[in-house]
Amino acid sequence: MQADLQRLELVLEGARLGSWDWWLKTDEVVFDSRWCRMLGLDPATTPMTLSTWENLVHPDDLPAAYQDIETYLQGKTPFYENTHRMRHADGHWLWILDRGRISEYGPDRKPVRFTGCHFEITESKELQALSESIQKMAKIGGWELEVATSTGRWTDETYRIHGLPPGATVNAEIGIGFYAPRDRETIGRHLEQCIQGVPYTATFEIKDAQGRLKWVRTTGEPLRDSQGTITRLRGTFQDITEQKLTEDLLQEERSKSIHASKLASLGEMSAGLAHEINNPLAVVLGNLELLGRSADNPEKFATRLESTVKAAKRIETIVGGLKRFSRRSDGIPPVLARLADIIDDAVVLTGARAKRNDCHVAVHCPLDLYLVCEAVEIEQVLVNLLNNAFDAIANLPTRDVYLSALKSGDQIVLKVLDSGPGISDEVEQKLFQPFFTTKPPGEGTGLGLSISRDILARHGATLALNREQAQTCFEIRFAATP
């Protein structure tokens, strides 16, 4: 018996548990030494009465503690349990988990003795408060779902995101009901797949209990029991409404920057393009005057008619390229486009500058290379790279630009190479910085390369300077289309 008591003492000491023994009729309470020391009290001088406990409990927590005691004594719960704050002898507050059960009944079968223990949980409670504070700041909560019953548990932040009071009853059906009707089947499918062992991350729009529309990012993963059976799902739920609105506003600004860059390019090319249009237009007008005189000469008539049609088609090609290039591309979904056609359009739009700088352009691109892209945006990148190349070599004895494309493994590699001497290490470091330019003042915005890299990043592609080439060579790498 003595050994059992010693063992019990060691267990209680190791668990940092303090015990109390309350005699209900007299309100006498025996607090053990651990209970006293936990609160900084001297066991020898601590009054062994209920008022000792009562006076130390935080006034805001006392009513709930007594309510839980009464609920247990009425037989509504299997044991008494309450968490409350108690004042330490030095004045700071401790969080206490208090549990107890009736340990003795009188002859009338009414309880006369109530015994329990105190467990200090201050550190745990503070960590919980910190966790909840972080969740609230990050607007991220957690959830769990019992597979067998479809009953759920949410953290307080998840309730807040849904506009519900913490503790409200939740299950899979209630949770799915917050999603937009178009998304309910999708989130339901995610949950079903998660039950089969497939985790998920997805973004949806929901309407909370107050009718407010929100964007949320939710994750889910399966939890298995000791036999490997998936019994629960667990995940996170984050309100990303502000982030989504901000992203949409950056997206809008990005679209405006890209469009402004296009217009700037058109402004730079306008004089040359007018010349490109005027030349074939002069041919058309001249031939129209001569066609009437050639009516009696079928061979001359056919030759001049062919020349007129060719010139008109040249004008049509240039104007069509200008119309495509100048339009806003935001909101246009990517489509399957042939890379050779994109390159041809870019060469047409930059043809005037190439002629003005007496540059020769050579293109090698297989006709079977395709990209899933917004074609005009890729064309804008090429226009920028070509114009930069023409300007860089304008005063050199050899003025050649080569465009080449090939499939390399799972990538399509597109190179724009000019006959210039290359770019210095110093310039390379700043090459893609916004507003950096090597052109004279007034002849460049310094935004072309940074916008080009941004456009390509949106397409899952990269833009870099290829240092393996002695001349200046920009290299674009796209993911190859299967």
Side-chain angles (χ1 to χ4, degrees), residues 1-6:
M1 184 66 176
Q2 186 65 30
D4 289 341
L5 289 174
Q6 289 177 345

Side-chain angles (χ1 to χ4, degrees), residues 289-304:
E289 291 180 6
L290 295 173
L291 278 174
R293 303 176 192 174
S294 306
D296 56 349
N297 189 329
E299 185 176 343
K300 281 187 178 181
F301 188 87
T303 300
R304 285 170 177 164

